[in-house]
Amino acid sequence: MKKLLLFAFLCFGLSALKAQDFKKVQTAMLLNQLENAKTEIDKLMQEPKAQAKAEGWYWKAKVYAALYKDDKTREKYPNTELTASEAFKKYQEMDPEYKILKENGGQDIPFNLYVTSFSQGVKEFNAKKWDSAAFYFGYSVKYSDVIFENKWSTSKMTFDTTSILYAAYANQNDKKLDKAYQYYSRLADSGVNGKEYEDIYKFLLVSASDNKNKTAFDKWLALAKKYYPNGEWDDYEADYLNKNYTLKEKAELFDKEDAAGTLTAAKYLQFGEMFSNIPKDDKDKLDSTEEVYYKNKARTAFERAYTKDTTNGIAAYNAGVLYNLEFNNIDDKMRDNIRSLQKLNAAKADIKDPKKKAAYDAQIKPQVDALKKANADLDKPAAALADSTIIWMENAYRSLNAVKDKSQAEKNVFGKCLDILYNMYSYKRDKVKTNNPTLYDAYDAKVKFYDQLISASGH
């Protein structure tokens, strides 16, 4: 019986001793004796019974968060934020209702971790130490969330926008794009908007494109258009298509939206650029028929872009360029045929003997006839392409000429437009030189008109 009483007394004494030890930590903290508090809590938390108590982890978190907050002790005892955070996590698991924290006014634990981490993050961010800045801002976000979720702040905020934003910036600068995406998406999901936040939506759209995430892309695009209706979001849609759609899928989508009448002038222009500037890897896989198919698609898209918006001179210019390129291909073939004829005739001129000359004529006649027929067959499509080139280039000329303050790109296009019109009218003038003086004069007047514009523009 005496042994049992003695055992009970020893157990009671040990329990009382533990409570008294936590009181020592508490007293040291009240007296701002941080290092004494550290010594006490470190000694206590070596024992399994202390580790089994929420109170032990509470006091360890409180002591180390205070050490982290103080400039001197933070430098003297590195990684106090890690120790404090790990202790607080274990405390939360053992006391999810924060009973001990509330009884002891322990809200300073998350506040110390939050505020100190934010200031450390700013310091590292300004020094361009992106990895460290991301680390500290991550803590700032984590503990500001604890504070605002539990309404331990007088602020009505539900989260700290600034901490989240800088955590995203730091991770983005450190090339940790997945982490940056998490922070940016949280802000976008919460509906932040304003000029200073527009780049968030741009980042999210590019990330969704890079990761082939159509659901996320559509979600961010809808929000971007809602908050920034004047943004150039069509460019990001084009980026998604270029990264995630095959050439065939782009053509199918174009046909579908074109038929539905949902394409804007800007989207028509973008489709035109997709079909006219096919990446080399894709282009190498096309046969000649497919190349023509996509050129025609591009031309159609540019024409409809201009029809939708007749102020878009560049769309008209692009349509004209495609007609002009096709004209040039035919014109080159015709010139090659003419040079072949000239060579055949030059060889005949060197023959002095009439009989040999007659024999040569007979010999080359099939070739000559074939070359003449080829040019005759090409003459009509060449004329039609020249006319189409002129129509679209004059559309471009009128639209661009009306722009008072042209961008450098518009100036370049305007100059090229004048050159092409000069060449096309020169071609048409020369075709009627011997058989239609009236048309010749009309075309010559156009040639001179565009020549003067070229000289005046200094192009």
Side-chain angles (χ1 to χ4, degrees):
M1 183 70 177
K2 287 182 179 179
K3 287 183 179 179
L4 288 173
L5 288 171
L6 178 61
F7 177 75
F9 174 77
L10 289 172
C11 289
F12 176 80
L14 181 62
S15 175
L17 180 65
K18 294 299 180 186
Q20 183 62 37
D21 281 344
F22 287 129
K23 286 292 184 183
K24 288 181 181 180
V25 176
Q26 184 179 16
T27 300
M29 290 297 292
L30 287 171
L31 296 173
N32 199 31
Q33 296 173 349
L34 295 182
E35 297 195 65
N36 287 343
K38 177 183 182 301
T39 300
E40 291 294 333
I41 197 64
D42 286 349
K43 181 172 63 177
L44 275 169
M45 292 306 288
Q46 289 177 9
E47 298 182 23
K49 287 186 178 181
Q51 293 174 18
K53 291 188 174 184
E55 190 176 9
W57 292 112
Y58 166 78
W59 284 109
K60 186 166 185 176
K62 188 174 180 71
V63 170
Y64 274 85
L67 290 168
Y68 179 48
K69 178 186 176 184
D70 186 272
D71 291 342
K72 291 181 180 179
T73 53
R74 184 174 62 252
E75 185 175 349
K76 185 176 180 180
Y77 302 107
N79 301 321
T80 46
E81 74 281 1
L82 294 175
T83 304
S85 183
E86 289 168 2
F88 192 71
K89 180 182 178 183
K90 289 180 180 178
Y91 164 69
Q92 287 175 302
E93 292 169 354
M94 298 172 80
D95 183 15
E97 300 299 320
Y98 297 111
K99 182 179 178 182
I100 297 170
L101 181 146
K102 292 172 183 176
E103 289 174 352
N104 290 275
Q107 290 90 342
D108 60 334
I109 298 172
F111 270 101
N112 286 343
L113 287 166
Y114 163 44
V115 174
T116 308
S117 294
F118 185 84
S119 64
Q120 291 296 103
V122 170
K123 178 183 174 183
E124 297 297 287
F125 191 91
N126 290 337
K128 299 188 186 326
K129 296 179 181 178
W130 310 124
D131 184 49
S132 296
F135 171 81
Y136 286 117
F137 283 126
Y139 270 117
S140 179
V141 172
K142 180 178 180 178
Y143 287 100
S144 62
D145 283 347
V146 172
I147 292 166
F148 294 124
E149 284 168 8
N150 288 282
K151 297 181 172 55
W152 292 337
S153 170
T154 56
S155 171
K156 300 299 182 183
M157 294 194 305
T158 55
F159 57 83
D160 182 8
T161 302
T162 305
S163 289
I164 297 172
L165 190 60
Y166 273 95
Y169 287 158
N171 279 286
Q172 183 180 355
N173 291 342
D174 197 35
K175 309 301 180 187
K176 294 175 181 174
L177 302 184
D178 288 344
K179 288 288 290 182
Y181 184 89
Q182 291 174 20
Y183 287 117
Y184 283 134
S185 61
R186 182 176 173 186
L187 291 173
D189 277 331
S190 72
V192 298
N193 61 89
K195 188 61 182 174
E196 68 271 29
Y197 298 118
E198 186 173 355
D199 284 346
I200 288 176
Y201 296 90
K202 293 177 181 179
F203 176 92
L204 291 171
L205 287 168
V206 172
S207 294
S209 292
D210 289 343
N211 290 291
K212 305 181 187 301
N213 191 333
K214 184 71 164 61
T215 301
F217 182 86
D218 289 343
K219 174 184 176 181
W220 304 133
L221 182 64
L223 289 174
K225 288 182 174 180
K226 174 183 176 181
Y227 297 132
Y228 308 96
N230 296 322
E232 295 180 348
W233 304 116
D234 287 346
D235 292 342
Y236 291 86
E237 290 186 82
D239 180 60
Y240 186 89
L241 291 178
N242 283 325
K243 288 175 179 174
N244 298 294
Y245 277 54
T246 65
L247 190 57
K248 182 181 178 183
E249 287 171 338
K250 291 175 189 175
E252 290 171 350
L253 181 64
F254 171 77
D255 289 341
K256 179 181 176 181
E257 295 197 2
D258 181 41
T262 58
L263 293 174
T264 63
K267 286 188 177 180
Y268 272 122
L269 186 61
Q270 286 169 346
F271 272 113
E273 289 170 349
M274 288 180 202
F275 298 137
S276 61
N277 298 310
I278 299 171
K280 186 178 184 302
D281 289 345
D282 289 337
K283 196 169 185 177
D284 290 342
K285 298 173 187 175
L286 302 178
D287 59 31
S288 57
T289 302
E290 289 170 326
E291 282 192 41
V292 171
Y293 170 80
Y294 285 111
K295 283 180 182 176
N296 288 338
K297 273 267 187 276
R299 196 162 55 201
T300 298
F302 288 135
E303 288 175 355
R304 290 182 182 166
Y306 178 78
T307 302
K308 283 265 185 182
D309 178 10
T310 56
T311 66
N312 195 332
I314 290 179
Y317 170 79
N318 288 340
V321 164
L322 290 173
Y323 281 114
N324 189 241
L325 287 173
E326 197 170 341
F327 166 84
N328 288 338
N329 288 335
I330 291 178
D331 191 54
D332 287 343
K333 290 177 184 177
M334 294 177 74
R335 290 177 186 276
D336 286 342
N337 291 340
I338 291 169
R339 280 191 287 271
S340 296
L341 283 170
Q342 289 171 340
K343 286 180 181 178
L344 291 171
N345 289 327
K348 184 173 73 172
D350 292 335
I351 301 172
K352 305 301 180 185
D353 187 314
K355 290 184 179 180
K356 289 182 179 180
K357 185 174 288 191
Y360 180 77
D361 275 340
Q363 179 187 345
I364 67 169
K365 188 176 186 303
Q367 291 175 264
V368 170
D369 289 345
L371 290 168
K372 287 181 177 179
K373 184 179 185 306
N375 271 13
D377 291 342
L378 292 171
D379 196 56
K380 189 173 181 179
L385 288 167
D387 288 340
S388 295
T389 300
I390 287 172
I391 288 169
W392 287 100
M393 284 300 169
E394 289 197 324
N395 285 338
Y397 163 73
R398 283 190 295 272
S399 297
L400 292 169
N401 193 49
V403 178
K404 292 182 179 179
D405 296 318
K406 296 180 182 62
S407 66
Q408 190 57 51
E410 287 171 328
K411 288 177 183 177
N412 292 338
V413 167
F414 187 68
K416 292 174 183 176
C417 180
L418 297 178
D419 285 342
I420 292 172
L421 284 167
Y422 172 85
N423 291 331
M424 285 296 93
Y425 276 114
S426 295
Y427 164 81
K428 291 182 72 67
R429 179 193 62 185
D430 294 344
K431 292 290 287 184
V432 298
K433 185 174 182 179
T434 58
N435 57 16
N436 195 327
T438 302
L439 267 182
Y440 178 90
D441 289 342
Y443 292 145
D444 188 54
K446 285 285 192 179
V447 171
K448 290 174 179 174
F449 173 74
Y450 287 113
D451 187 38
Q452 288 173 353
L453 289 177
I454 291 169
S455 298
S457 67
H459 178 68

